[in-house]
Each structure stands twice: as C-alpha cells, then as structure tokens.
Amino acid sequence: MKLKILSATLFLSLTSCGEPDIDNRFNKSTLSVEQACSEDPSMCITFKDDSMCKSQRADLIVGNRLLAKEPSGQYAYQQLVIIEKFLECSKRASLIEYVPANVRFNKPESQMTAKEIESKQKYSDSIKQRKKDKDMSYLSGIKLKAMLESDYSDSNNPYMLYYKWSRLRDDSARAQFIDGYKNGLKYNSDLLFHVAEYLITVSDEAAIEALIKSLESYPKKSYGPKKGVQKSGDTNHISSDDGHYHFEIFRALVTLYYKNGEYERAFIFSNLLLLNNDKSSDHQMILLQLGNNEDKISELEDISSNVDDFLKDGLFNSFYIESAMLSF
C-alpha cells in the first residue's frame, strides 16, 4: 500500500514554489508608501500606481527604501523575494489586452459628435499609456533585481547564500550555506527549513533534525490553521499554505517517519496537519499501521494536541516529544 503524502523528492520540488515568511523588520516597519515616495520620488515615478499589483508595488517601494537605509544581506534577500512577487504580478498585468478604441467606440467617426471623438481619442491615449507604464514597471523590476544580485554577489550572509543557491544554481553558495549550519551558525527557522530542503536528499536523519529545529524556532505569529475547508487528499494543498511553512514541515516529517517505520511519530505530525485544517496526509493509512489501537491512538492525539499548543505559544521543544515517546 502506498501512503498518499508527499515523497521526499516532491517535498524538495514544492518548497521552491513559494517562500516562507521572514520574521524581520520588513514586516514590522511603519514606513508608508507615501513616506517612501517622499524620501525617494524616483521609485514611485518608475513604478507607477496601477489598479493591479498594488500591494506588491507598495512592498517593493517600501522595501527598497528600508534596504537603502539599512543595507544587509538578509534584507537584500527579503527585497529580492519581494521583487520576484512583484514581477510575477507585473508580468500578468502587462499581458492584459485592453478593449481597442474602435471596439469601444464602434460608430464611424463621421457619425460621432466632436465630444465623442474627443472621448475616443482620450481613451486611446489612456490605454497606450497604461500599457507603456505596465511594460516599464516590469522591465524596471527586472533591472532592479539584477542590480541587487550584482551588489550582493559577494555576500556571505546565509540568506544571500541561500538565494544564490536556489535562484542562481550556485553550488559554492550552497556548500557555504550548508557548512554554516553544520558549523553551528545560528540560523532562523526559515533558514533551517531551507537547510532541510537540501539534507532531505542526503540523509533522512539529518533532514528530520533540521526540520525539528525549524519548528523549535518557528515564529508563533506565523503558526495557525488554514482558513476554509480543504478536501481530503487535495493534491494542491501547497497553494493554500500562504507562506506558512509549518504545513510543509509537518508533511515532510510524516513522509520521513513513515518511510523509516516510525509510525507513532508519523501519526503525531499527520494529526497536527488535521488540527490545522490540512488534509494532505493519508491519516487512515497510518492508523492501519498502528493497528487501530485505540489507547495508543488516544495517547498520540494528546501528544499532538500538546505540540500544537506549544507551537501556538512559540514554546515547542523536541525534548517534549522525545520524553513522551519513551512510553511507546
């Protein structure tokens, strides 16, 4: 029988689809778009306001100003991720085809009043300008991204090392990034998650250790259940993770523990997915491996519930699970 959860290979490929939230001052800043534009008008002239991509534009402008005030590898990485999101939205926006003036104003000009002809010309000029502005924003975003990549190309900051590995396929940066972890450098939860992306291809035990460490430092403000209802076995679960990578950590731990025959631990993290309104794990398959032992399952559910509470409070420690598992 096959467990319907993410395989290790699939875990690695899916995590590149989105970036975890980073708990840094970019998210805590009170700087407004208006203030950023006042301090650096050129950015707001280059990236003109538009009905689409408003939030992405605001993040880009504010982030660029904050990075200028306090340059660092971590903040450069955060800004590069922001630019990626802006470019993704901006590219879609640039592909929008406006209704041609001759279609919107479909009467022959010989039958139009002077006011109608003027309106048609204004509309024609407007859609040309909007198209030009969208194209310019997209191209300017590409240039800004290339400039930041160049400016921080020599950075040894772990965030930039991860960026160069994951985006630019820089194996040397990957080696430095992983070596930093192995040598005991303090990595934030999101970086530990990225470390596991690599280790999962090398060693199950090492990957599990990195994933558990990521949970131990997971920011409590980012932890919580999914909104809405998810259908059981939904294969598009990652699209609703919304940057909250604890779901992906749980899925990976379920897969790794199940693969290694540690069904009790697989159950704990599968149940954590259920507690957080995520049904991507085949919970019933794990129950079968446990022999549907009601007493054991009840104990494991209690452990899972306690872990959930610890994570909500930002107090999770692997020692709790290790102690609780002594009775199994």
Side-chain angles (χ1 to χ4, degrees):
M1 291 185 291
K2 183 180 180 181
L3 187 66
K4 297 178 183 176
I5 54 181
L6 298 182
S7 68
T9 302
L10 185 56
F11 163 70
L12 180 63
S13 65
L14 285 179
T15 49
S16 64
C17 296
E19 285 302 315
D21 289 334
I22 300 176
D23 186 18
N24 64 26
R25 67 93 175 88
F26 267 73
N27 298 325
K28 298 174 182 176
S29 172
T30 57
L31 183 68
S32 68
V33 178
E34 290 73 20
Q35 289 173 311
C37 288
S38 175
E39 294 176 11
D40 183 8
S42 64
M43 282 292 290
C44 300
I45 294 171
T46 301
F47 298 97
K48 289 185 169 60
D49 196 10
D50 186 76
S51 59
M52 292 186 68
C53 309
K54 280 186 172 293
S55 63
Q56 293 88 346
R57 172 184 179 269
D59 289 343
L60 185 149
I61 290 172
V62 170
N64 196 71
R65 190 63 197 144
L66 292 171
L67 178 60
K69 290 182 174 183
E70 190 179 342
S72 77
Q74 180 175 345
Y75 301 153
Y77 167 77
Q78 175 72 349
Q79 181 64 355
L80 282 163
V81 172
I82 288 172
I83 293 171
E84 287 177 343
K85 293 177 180 178
F86 172 80
L87 287 174
E88 183 181 350
C89 181
S90 182
K91 185 175 182 179
R92 291 197 303 269
S94 68
L95 297 175
I96 289 176
E97 294 292 337
Y98 295 100
V99 178
N102 287 334
V103 174
R104 183 165 179 175
F105 299 86
N106 56 10
K107 288 194 302 185
E109 289 196 3
S110 59
Q111 298 176 16
M112 298 173 107
T113 65
K115 188 173 182 179
E116 286 175 329
I117 293 174
E118 182 182 1
S119 296
K120 178 182 178 181
Q121 187 59 50
K122 283 183 178 180
Y123 174 76
S124 179
D125 293 342
S126 172
I127 61 176
K128 287 178 183 177
Q129 187 61 49
R130 278 182 281 175
K131 178 68 174 173
K132 181 179 178 182
D133 289 345
K134 283 181 169 60
D135 291 344
M136 182 59 68
S137 288
Y138 180 69
L139 293 173
S140 297
I142 291 175
K143 290 179 181 178
L144 182 60
K145 178 171 172 285
M147 182 184 73
L148 276 182
E149 288 176 348
S150 175
D151 288 348
Y152 287 86
S153 61
D154 295 328
S155 173
N156 289 323
N157 177 277
Y159 281 96
M160 282 308 301
L161 290 174
Y162 169 69
Y163 180 87
K164 287 184 281 187
W165 162 42
S166 62
R167 291 353 187 252
L168 307 179
R169 301 294 184 264
D170 187 331
D171 288 336
S172 175
R174 186 259 302 160
Q176 284 182 269
F177 177 63
I178 299 301
D179 285 346
Y181 166 73
K182 291 179 178 179
N183 291 332
L185 289 183
K186 182 175 174 55
Y187 279 8
N188 292 340
S189 177
D190 56 316
L191 286 181
L192 291 167
F193 173 69
H194 292 314
V195 166
E197 289 180 350
Y198 172 74
L199 293 180
I200 209 167
T201 67
V202 177
S203 162
D204 290 354
E205 184 179 355
I208 288 171
E209 182 181 359
L211 290 166
I212 293 294
K213 285 181 178 179
S214 179
L215 285 179
E216 287 182 323
S217 56
Y218 197 86
K220 65 179 182 179
K221 72 170 189 174
S222 295
Y223 185 79
K226 289 186 176 182
K227 298 177 181 178
V229 179
Q230 185 190 37
K231 295 180 180 179
S232 182
D234 182 5
T235 57
N236 196 30
H237 41 258
I238 198 168
S239 65
S240 59
D241 287 355
D242 195 27
H244 301 289
Y245 55 101
H246 57 278
F247 297 107
E248 201 66 13
I249 292 175
F250 294 160
R251 294 184 198 116
L253 287 170
V254 173
T255 299
L256 292 169
Y257 282 134
Y258 189 92
K259 173 185 173 185
N260 288 281
E262 299 183 71
Y263 302 121
E264 289 84 4
R265 293 173 188 264
F267 178 94
I268 290 170
F269 290 97
S270 179
N271 201 56
L272 276 164
L273 284 168
L274 291 177
L275 290 173
N276 283 274
N277 199 27
D278 184 290
K279 299 179 180 178
S280 57
S281 171
D282 192 336
H283 202 61
Q284 291 301 315
M285 192 69 73
I286 302 173
L287 286 172
L288 287 175
Q289 295 293 342
L290 294 174
N292 288 313
N293 184 319
E294 292 185 6
D295 290 338
K296 177 185 282 190
I297 290 168
S298 179
E299 288 184 59
L300 291 171
E301 285 176 340
D302 288 342
I303 294 171
S304 181
S305 179
N306 288 336
V307 171
D308 188 52
D309 288 338
F310 287 139
L311 285 165
K312 287 176 182 175
D313 295 333
L315 299 173
F316 172 69
N317 190 297
S318 61
F319 178 77
Y320 168 71
I321 290 183
E322 297 308 317
S323 299
M325 292 303 295
L326 292 175
S327 61
F328 293 95

